[in-house]
């Protein structure tokens, strides 16, 4: 009887772990329609799942035994650092694998789908292995966290590829890693610390969702990489050209 109860309990918690996945997918489906092929969606979902499995295996065999004390040290120097570094590397590889017909929005969407696959595998693994009360907070919050932070990585790396100067490329690359890493590290710190700190996870996700809506809206206005290459201009030059009419209207109104 106890075995049956354990199986039912495990089945229920795995279902809860998978529940946020279709919710997040459907929430951003209006943007995913830019790439309407479901095989494309599945491809990047699988990339994320593979990344999660690779990091899980690497953690079992190569995990350093660091004497980390305190929620902040464990939050920023354990899982968040490794996961965001792995996501950054894979999304960067996929960014340069894509053809010149690249749109910033496409790269953001691809990165978000990769994050969805990563979060799915991670959620199932946590559901199987962890029996602490905080697991329910993690199950419902880690999926949007991974999807949104990976989307930020995709946005920054796409801008890096579009940029013409090395300085801007380095700046976008640093932003693509540091911003998601800080959000992820803060999330892990709040989760590990427990108590009333977990209440701050909701505002953290709200900030990420609002930021992603801005990124997705702005990405739709940016040109194709192929178009920039045909005109032999960078994203910085394109932005300057777009601003000239705005400056002219401002001068005329001022006069």
């Amino acid at each position: 009887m106890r075995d049956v109860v354990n199986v039912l309990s495990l089945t229920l918690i795995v279902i809860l772990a998978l529940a946020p996945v279709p919710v997040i997918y459907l929430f951003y489906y209006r943007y995913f329609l830019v790439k309407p092929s479901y095989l494309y969606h599945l491809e990047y979902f699988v990339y994320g799942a593979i990344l999660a499995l690779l990091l899980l295996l690497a953690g079992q065999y190569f995990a350093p035994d660091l004497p980390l004390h305190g929620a902040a040290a464990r939050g920023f120097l354990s899982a968040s650092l490794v996961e965001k570094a792995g996501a950054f590397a894979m999304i960067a590889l996929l960014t340069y694998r894509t053809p010149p017909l690249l749109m910033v929005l496409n790269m953001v969407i691809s990165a978000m789908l990769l994050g969805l696959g990563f979060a799915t595998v991670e959620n199932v693994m946590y559901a199987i292995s962890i029996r602490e009360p905080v697991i329910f907070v993690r199950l419902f919050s880690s999926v949007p966290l991974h999807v949104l932070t990976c989307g930020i990585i995709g946005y920054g790396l796409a801008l890096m590829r579009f940029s013409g100067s090395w300085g801007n490329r380095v700046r976008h690359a640093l932003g693509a890693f540091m911003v998601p890493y800080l959000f992820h590290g803060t999330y892990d710190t709040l989760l590990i610390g427990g108590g009333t700190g977990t209440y701050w996870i909701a505002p953290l996700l709200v900030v990420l969702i609002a930021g992603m809506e801005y990124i997705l809206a702005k990405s739709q206005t940016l040109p194709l990489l192929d178009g920039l290459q045909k005109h032999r201009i960078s994203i910085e030059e394109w932005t300057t050209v777009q601003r000239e009419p705005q400056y002219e209207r401002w001068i005329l109104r001022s006069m």
Side-chain angles (χ1 to χ4, degrees):
M1 184 64 181
R2 180 177 295 180
D3 292 338
V4 174
V5 172
N6 289 336
V7 170
L8 290 176
S9 176
L10 181 60
T11 303
L12 177 61
I13 200 168
V14 169
I15 292 173
L16 290 176
L18 294 174
V21 176
V23 173
I24 296 299
Y25 180 82
L26 293 174
F27 184 81
Y28 287 106
Y29 186 71
R30 64 192 188 279
Y31 295 109
F32 294 162
L33 282 175
V34 175
K35 282 288 188 181
S37 170
Y38 293 109
L39 288 177
Y40 178 90
H41 295 176
L42 180 62
E43 177 186 358
Y44 277 82
F45 182 91
V46 170
Y47 288 148
I50 292 173
L51 176 62
L53 292 172
L54 290 175
L55 292 181
L56 179 66
L57 293 173
Q60 291 181 349
Y61 292 100
F62 303 104
D65 188 15
L66 297 176
L68 300 177
H69 302 287
R74 293 167 59 193
F76 281 93
L77 298 178
S78 56
S80 58
L81 179 61
V82 176
E83 290 176 8
K84 287 287 95 65
F88 181 91
M90 179 164 279
I91 294 171
L93 177 65
L94 295 173
T95 300
Y96 281 93
R97 194 204 67 168
T98 54
L101 290 173
L102 173 66
M103 189 177 180
V104 175
L105 180 62
N106 293 345
M107 201 60 240
V108 175
I109 290 170
S110 302
M112 292 174 72
L113 291 166
L114 185 146
L116 189 64
F118 185 98
T120 301
V121 173
E122 186 187 65
N123 248 19
V124 172
M125 293 302 176
Y126 276 121
I128 294 172
S129 60
I130 297 178
R131 289 293 180 270
E132 299 176 7
V134 75
I135 184 61
F136 293 102
V137 178
R138 180 183 286 275
L139 292 182
F140 290 103
S141 59
S142 66
V143 174
L145 175 88
H146 282 295
V147 171
L148 297 170
T149 52
C150 285
I152 295 173
I153 293 175
Y155 178 72
L157 290 177
L159 290 181
M160 181 191 73
R161 188 174 177 187
F162 278 46
S163 296
S165 68
W166 280 104
N168 284 334
R169 289 181 182 178
V170 171
R171 178 171 62 86
H172 288 307
L174 288 175
F177 176 77
M178 291 304 300
V179 174
Y181 169 62
L182 291 175
F183 273 106
H184 196 157
T186 303
Y187 168 83
D188 282 349
T189 300
L190 295 172
L191 201 62
I192 293 170
T196 58
T198 55
Y199 296 131
W200 288 98
I201 290 177
L204 181 74
L205 292 178
V206 169
V207 171
L208 273 173
I209 291 171
M212 183 51 61
E213 288 295 326
Y214 171 78
I215 286 173
L216 289 168
K218 185 177 180 180
S219 298
Q220 296 179 73
T221 66
L222 298 176
L224 289 169
L225 178 61
D226 184 59
L228 294 177
Q229 291 178 344
K230 284 182 179 179
H231 292 87
R232 297 181 180 179
I233 60 175
S234 64
I235 190 68
E236 297 90 346
E237 294 168 324
W238 179 88
T239 302
T240 301
V241 171
Q242 296 299 310
R243 287 177 178 171
E244 284 182 359
Q246 300 176 11
Y247 293 150
E248 291 176 0
R249 287 195 297 268
W250 179 81
I251 292 172
L252 290 173
R253 289 174 182 174
S254 299
M255 294 173 62

